[in-house]
Amino acid sequence: VLIGEVWLCSGQSNMGMPMKGFPGQPVAYANDYITRAKKEVPLRIYTVSNHSSAVPLEHSGGQWKCHDSGAVANCSATAYFFGKYLQEVLGIPVGIVISAWNGSNIETWMSRESFRALDILSVAKRPVHQTPSLLYNAMIYPIRNLAVKGMIWYQGEANIDAPDLYTQLFPALVNDWRRQWKIGEFPFYYAQIAPFNYNKGEEKGKNSAFLREAQMKCLRYIPSSGMIVLTDVGDAHTIHPMEKETVGNRFAYLALGRTYGKKGFPVTGPLYRSMKVEGNKIILSFDEIGKGLTTFRRPFTGFEIAGEDRIFHPADARLGEGAQTVVVSNPEVKHPVAVRYAFKDYVEGCLFNMSGLPASSFRTDNW
């Protein structure tokens, strides 16, 4: 019997991706952690079995496992790195409960009542893992009485086709889960989806930056929430970035800073706050910059600027006074009105705070 902290870790394949990886898609550094796993470490792993149901179930079909090589190899990599970091810093037992399904959209994780309350038409003939409520019934409802400290969520890739709708669905899901657990506004931390080249094949013409924008907006709609940013770890060739240790660690920063009260470090990357036009330049201000902004001596990339004609041009960018702002301009744009940063499907983020946490993609316009 262990007494400690329990966190629920849910979402789609980037949450479910095990330490041993998917075929042809590895998790960086995983083998070192798998081979060094010791049973004495008070980290416990529970994975809800993948199944669906048209009605709420009472049993989840999982089993608690100790911290040994076999359990770690099959554990969600994101959840593992998160839980391991917490356990080491807090010095107490930590349990991670993983409930994730590859390719699942957010609707299937919502209760029937919460989904119907939004009065949104469901698309017919969806796969099981995308049908409203079927995964909630089988993989969330059975564990609703589990005493948890908080939850982490990595999902959104299956909803890039409807970013505006996500700003309704996601807060509704969080509110519903909090009602089900009956333990108040517990922490709910989530990952902004990483850049990936969706803009090909059947997905051509889509831009996942709009979903990343929707996730950033949800910070305003969901109390006691936080978002980790992954603009620096995306992969143009796979939807599953291999830097899962980075993902798990960033979740841990949020939990340690906001839930456990640790001080002295930023818990997330810079988030766009406001802009000011000065002549032919736009000065951008951010929240969560810590001691200042930096590109770690790399070139500024990904900034665009537009005038009233709404035509965006690649922008020259530099740090403002004291590295507290970013100054953006282009000689061809005499009267700028809008800026975008990393607002494309696949990008490699260049802007960070001094703690190495990346800035979210953003736009100042609503065109």
Side-chain angles (χ1 to χ4, degrees):
V1 175
L2 297 178
I3 297 175
E5 302 284 65
V6 176
W7 284 77
L8 174 62
C9 314
S10 187
Q12 57 181 109
S13 57
N14 267 307
M15 180 60 81
M17 187 178 191
M19 289 286 283
K20 64 185 179 183
F22 291 140
Q25 301 179 72
V27 171
Y29 322 117
N31 206 50
D32 287 342
Y33 288 95
I34 293 170
T35 56
R36 290 186 295 181
K38 295 181 180 179
K39 193 173 182 180
E40 310 89 73
V41 173
L43 179 65
R44 296 293 181 266
I45 301 162
Y46 185 101
T47 302
V48 176
S49 63
N50 280 15
H51 57 302
S52 62
S53 175
V55 296
L57 303 179
E58 291 296 336
H59 302 287
S60 62
Q63 180 181 351
W64 283 106
K65 296 188 176 180
C66 293
H67 183 261
D68 58 30
S69 294
V72 171
N74 290 290
C75 178
S76 156
T78 293
Y80 176 75
F81 287 121
F82 167 72
K84 187 174 188 299
Y85 204 118
L86 285 190
Q87 194 283 314
E88 290 178 353
V89 174
L90 297 175
I92 60 175
V94 171
I96 49 175
V97 177
I98 300 117
S99 182
W101 190 306
N102 298 353
S104 56
N105 61 23
I106 194 169
E107 294 94 317
T108 197
W109 294 102
M110 302 173 66
S111 71
R112 183 172 300 177
E113 294 75 20
S114 66
F115 182 76
R116 285 181 173 175
L118 295 176
D119 197 24
I120 296 169
L121 290 176
S122 176
V123 178
K125 297 182 179 179
R126 294 187 182 190
V128 165
H129 61 277
Q130 294 186 346
T131 302
S133 307
L134 292 195
L135 298 187
Y136 167 84
N137 289 338
M139 299 179 65
I140 294 298
Y141 185 84
I143 58 176
R144 70 196 185 284
N145 293 321
L146 185 68
V148 297
K149 185 69 174 182
M151 301 186 185
I152 63 172
W153 173 260
Y154 193 168
Q155 190 278 338
E157 297 89 344
N159 289 90
I160 65 163
D161 57 338
D164 290 339
L165 185 58
Y166 202 83
T167 61
Q168 299 178 56
L169 293 169
F170 190 26
L173 175 140
V174 177
N175 289 337
D176 185 43
W177 286 18
R178 285 172 170 167
R179 284 194 299 268
Q180 296 292 341
W181 257 264
K182 300 177 182 177
I183 54 175
E185 285 186 351
F186 53 72
F188 201 108
Y189 303 135
Y190 60 95
Q192 188 183 58
I193 62 171
F196 167 64
N197 187 19
Y198 294 89
N199 195 24
K200 60 184 179 180
E202 294 181 359
E203 303 291 339
K204 193 166 182 63
K206 295 182 179 179
N207 182 356
S208 57
F210 288 100
L211 196 281
R212 297 198 297 271
E213 178 184 60
Q215 291 177 309
M216 187 164 65
K217 288 179 180 177
C218 285
L219 288 170
R220 303 196 301 263
Y221 309 146
I222 303 173
S224 302
S225 67
M227 181 183 77
I228 65 168
V229 179
L230 304 175
T231 49
D232 60 329
V233 299
D235 190 318
H237 306 290
T238 175
I239 201 171
H240 303 119
M242 65 180 180
E243 297 288 341
K244 289 294 186 288
E245 184 174 13
T246 299
V247 181
N249 289 356
R250 287 178 184 171
F251 270 126
Y253 303 155
L254 267 175
L256 290 169
R258 294 190 178 173
T259 303
Y260 297 105
K262 301 290 184 180
K263 304 294 183 183
F265 55 93
V267 297
T268 187
L271 299 173
Y272 167 73
R273 182 176 72 225
S274 62
M275 59 166 272
K276 179 172 64 173
V277 178
E278 288 191 358
N280 68 340
K281 299 179 177 63
I282 289 181
I283 300 175
L284 303 168
S285 296
F286 300 84
D287 294 320
E288 304 291 349
I289 65 172
K291 293 187 177 297
L293 299 164
T294 184
T295 65
F296 292 103
R297 299 188 180 90
R298 298 193 312 224
F300 276 91
T301 57
F303 284 91
E304 300 174 285
I305 192 167
E308 293 179 351
D309 60 3
R310 299 189 175 189
I311 297 174
F312 280 93
H313 302 264
D316 299 319
R318 61 178 174 83
L319 294 178
E321 184 177 355
Q324 300 296 297
T325 60
V326 175
V327 182
V328 184
S329 64
N330 181 297
E332 297 180 24
V333 182
K334 305 298 184 184
H335 304 286
V337 298
V339 170
R340 292 183 176 184
Y341 166 69
F343 208 77
K344 296 190 182 299
D345 219 19
Y346 176 73
V347 293
E348 296 179 8
C350 74
L351 185 64
F352 300 78
N353 58 30
M354 295 287 284
S355 296
L357 299 176
S360 170
S361 54
F362 68 88
R363 57 177 177 153
T364 67
D365 64 275
N366 61 357
W367 302 338

